[in-house]
């Protein structure tokens, strides 16, 4: 099997038949993961009405996915070493496909949230293994370079595609199809997986830190839950403190397990770099801003402005496409003006745009969003790429997979917390009981939530100012 993907065949200018199939299976799987990061946002109001769910609950459709995805990424890197990338890739596809089917037939919010958590786990397994498998399958040469360029485009535009596709599916076929669309893709990709190059398993001397990964995921889930519950009218302070205590215990457990491990999920030396830590903080805050804003605008746009799901997806292109532009421009500017300058400018643009929306006197209209979201998108994209470079800068080849996972995990986990915070602000401004459906308007909490999102961007700005170094930095190959 490995010989079919030898360097001799891969060095040719054109791909062979088996390599095209490998590229198709891997590319479709990666696109599925990228689309899943946004496709559900469009369907949130429809899901909420169909399952009669409150604003305090609705953010968990996305939070469950982001927490499990971000929490499992580091763990899945170790699993790939232990059991082989192809086997883990196939397992991830099976999990994503089964969880997508369960999401599509979900009869309650609890079932849907659990299915989304499983979907995030499967997506993490796929995301960790797909690119290394592609590099192995294509070898070196111009064909590989073109394929990697296509891979970059898939990642860049996957979020936009998810919003547009989600809108069309929700309006045309119903919200359950935003999950069902994964099923045929997952089945076909899993059937093609055996043609991918097999790799060895390193079972000796590589401990499997299940307890460490589980404690981290549990701590993050408890923190998100506590943030939302803190704003629920009539909530118990004692229970909230117990949740926070539980999260602290789990975090300490994670640190203790990592400290005693002969091969921790994150090598301690990686986090001794102030620049790398600063990049992780900026990524985290960028995630809180981007995902939090997506939640706010999908609720406001569809419930208050009366936009269709398709209309909302089209509106949000004003955020997602400029973020792609911002990331490419930011990458070029880093070479001349440094990481700190780009991250500062990016977070300043995102924060200023959100605060400008928050200060609009009276209800917001579609035109308000169209005029400001491109600014927020460019800023978030530029800050993201500067922070990504900061995290991967100076990493050895052995640490490259870990730093890549840290990048994605920080952004995803930040998104989960951002969703919780925005949901909490909306709940705090709701007059109706939180067990009821969302009221017809979220005007009362929108301006406050936008101001909070702008404040989170300021936190990222301060992290960039205090932690990132000023000088320019080379752009790691393969990073965009």
């Amino acid at each position: 099997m490995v010989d079919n993907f030898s360097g001799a065949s891969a060095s040719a200018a054109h791909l062979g038949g088996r390599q095209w199939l490998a590229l198709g299976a891997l590319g479709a799987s990666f696109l599925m993961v990228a689309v899943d990061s946004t496709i559900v946002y469009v369907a949130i109001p429809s899901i909420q009405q169909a399952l009669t769910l409150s604003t305090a609950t609705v953010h968990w459709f996305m939070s469950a996915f982001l927490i499990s995805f971000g929490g499992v990424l580091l763990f899945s890197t170790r699993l790939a070493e232990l059991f082989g990338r192809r086997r883990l890739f196939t397992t991830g596809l099976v999990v994503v496909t089964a969880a997508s089917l369960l999401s599509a037939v979900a009869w309650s919010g609890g079932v849907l949230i659990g299915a989304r958590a499983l979907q995030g786990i499967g997506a993490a397994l796929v995301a960790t293994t797909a690119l290394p498998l592609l590099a192995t399958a294509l070898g070196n040469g111009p064909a590989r370079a073109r394929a990697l360029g296509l891979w970059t485009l898939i990642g860049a535009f996957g979020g936009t595609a998810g919003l547009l596709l989600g809108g069309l599916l929700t309006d045309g076929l119903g919200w359950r199809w935003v999950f069902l669309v994964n099923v045929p893709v997952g089945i076909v990709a899993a059937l093609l997986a055996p043609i991918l190059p097999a790799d060895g398993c390193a079972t000796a001397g590589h401990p499997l830190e299940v307890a460490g990964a589980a404690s981290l995921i549990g701590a993050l889930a408890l923190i998100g839950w506590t943030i939302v519950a803190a704003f629920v009218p009539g909530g118990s302070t004692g229970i909230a403190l117990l949740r926070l205590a539980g999260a602290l215990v789990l975090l300490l457990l994670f640190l203790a397990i990592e400290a005693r491990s002969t091969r921790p999920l994150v090598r301690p030396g990686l986090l001794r770099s102030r620049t790398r830590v600063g990049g992780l903080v900026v990524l985290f805050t960028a995630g809180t801003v981007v995902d939090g804003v997506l939640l706010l605008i999908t609720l406001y746009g569809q419930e208050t402005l009366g936009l269709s799901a398709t209309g909302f997806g089209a509106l949000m292109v004003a955020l997602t496409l400029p973020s792609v532009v911002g990331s490419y421009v930011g990458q070029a500017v880093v070479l001349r003006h440094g990481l700190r300058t780009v991250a500062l400018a990016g977070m300043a643009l995102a924060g200023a745009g959100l605060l400008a929306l928050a200060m609009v006197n009276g209800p917001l209209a579609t035109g308000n969003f169209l005029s400001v979201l491109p600014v927020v998108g460019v800023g978030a994209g530029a800050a993201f790429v500067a922070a990504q470079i900061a995290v991967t800068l100076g990493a050895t080849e052995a640490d490259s997979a870990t730093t890549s996972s840290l990048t994605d995990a920080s952004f995803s986990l930040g998104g989960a917390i951002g969703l919780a915070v925005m949901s909490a602000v909306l709940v705090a401004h709701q007059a109706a009981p939180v067990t009821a459906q969302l009221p017809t308007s979220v005007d009362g909490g929108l301006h406050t939530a936008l101001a909070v999102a702008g404040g989170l961007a300021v936190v990222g700005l301060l992290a960039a100012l205090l932690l990132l170094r000023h000088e320019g930095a080379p752009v790691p190959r393969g990073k965009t």
Side-chain angles (χ1 to χ4, degrees):
M1 180 69 71
V2 177
D3 292 339
N4 291 323
F5 293 92
S6 64
S9 62
S11 63
H14 301 286
L15 300 179
R18 294 179 67 84
Q19 290 173 320
W20 273 115
L21 288 174
L23 176 60
L26 293 167
S29 302
F30 182 52
L31 179 61
M32 180 172 64
V33 171
V35 165
D36 272 345
S37 67
T38 57
I39 194 171
V40 180
Y41 282 107
V42 184
I44 283 176
S46 298
I47 295 172
Q48 189 175 14
Q49 292 175 9
L51 300 181
T52 316
L53 299 170
S54 69
T55 306
T57 302
V58 73
H59 82 93
W60 281 107
F61 303 150
M62 291 305 304
S63 295
F65 178 91
L66 292 171
I67 290 173
S68 61
F69 178 78
V72 171
L73 276 171
L74 292 172
F75 186 48
S76 62
T77 301
R78 182 64 46 79
L79 287 174
E81 297 174 353
L82 289 168
F83 302 111
R85 294 191 183 99
R86 187 177 71 179
R87 184 179 300 174
L88 198 66
F89 173 76
T90 306
T91 301
L93 284 174
V94 171
V95 173
V96 169
T97 304
S100 298
L101 183 59
L102 180 58
S103 297
V105 301
W107 55 92
S108 70
V111 172
L112 181 56
I113 292 169
R116 286 288 289 166
L118 287 175
Q119 203 174 359
I121 292 172
L125 302 183
V126 172
T128 302
T129 53
L131 184 57
L133 282 170
L134 178 71
T136 303
L138 301 186
N140 297 314
R144 175 180 176 178
R146 286 196 298 271
L148 292 176
L150 175 62
W151 195 267
T152 300
L153 288 176
I154 291 174
F157 292 101
T160 300
L163 290 167
L164 295 174
L165 178 61
L168 293 171
L169 289 172
T170 301
D171 283 339
L173 298 173
W175 65 266
R176 297 184 186 275
W177 281 88
V178 303
F179 304 111
L180 282 174
V181 70
N182 285 342
V183 175
V185 177
I187 291 174
V188 172
L191 291 175
L192 290 174
I195 72 169
L196 298 173
D199 53 341
C201 307
T203 56
H206 290 72
L208 187 59
E209 296 291 3
V210 177
S215 59
L216 177 61
I217 296 170
L220 293 167
L222 283 174
I223 291 170
W225 188 6
T226 303
I227 290 173
V228 173
F231 289 89
V232 175
S236 171
T237 303
I239 294 177
L241 291 175
L242 284 175
R243 293 194 194 104
L244 281 178
L248 178 60
V249 170
L250 289 173
L251 283 175
L252 292 175
L253 177 61
F254 170 73
L255 293 175
I257 292 171
E258 289 288 284
R260 297 183 63 180
S261 174
T262 57
R263 197 164 186 272
L265 295 177
V266 180
R267 186 172 59 81
L270 281 177
L271 300 181
R272 291 174 186 158
S273 164
R274 192 179 75 173
T275 296
R276 182 168 291 121
V277 172
L280 291 173
V281 175
V282 173
L283 284 167
F284 185 88
T285 54
T288 65
V289 170
V290 171
D291 284 284
V293 169
L294 281 170
L295 177 66
L296 291 176
I297 299 179
T298 188
L299 293 176
Y300 184 80
Q302 295 187 61
E303 295 290 342
T304 301
L305 297 181
L307 296 176
S308 65
T310 303
F312 164 74
L315 171 64
M316 293 313 297
V317 172
L319 175 70
T320 56
L321 284 185
S323 71
V324 175
V325 175
S327 67
Y328 279 97
V329 173
Q331 181 171 277
V333 176
V334 161
L335 295 172
R336 287 191 172 188
H337 300 287
L339 297 169
R340 182 193 294 172
T341 300
V342 174
L344 282 173
M347 296 308 292
L349 282 174
L354 292 169
L355 291 174
L357 281 176
M359 290 187 292
V360 171
N361 187 20
L364 297 175
T366 303
N368 297 119
F369 292 113
L370 287 174
S371 63
V372 173
L373 287 181
V375 177
V376 177
V378 168
F384 177 90
V385 77
Q388 183 186 51
I389 294 170
V391 175
T392 57
L393 193 65
T396 65
E397 187 68 27
D399 290 327
S400 60
T402 301
T403 54
S404 178
S405 294
L406 282 172
T407 298
D408 293 337
S410 296
F411 188 79
S412 297
L413 296 173
I417 299 302
L419 288 166
V421 171
M422 295 303 107
S423 176
V425 174
L426 293 180
V427 168
H429 284 77
Q430 269 188 212
V434 295
T435 54
Q437 282 183 276
L438 181 76
T440 57
S441 173
V442 293
D443 288 352
L446 179 66
H447 288 76
T448 302
L450 287 169
V452 171
L456 291 171
V458 172
V459 173
L461 185 151
L462 292 174
L465 179 64
L466 297 174
L467 297 174
L468 295 184
R469 64 191 191 188
H470 178 68
E471 65 268 22
V475 178
R477 293 185 178 181
K479 299 292 180 186
T480 58

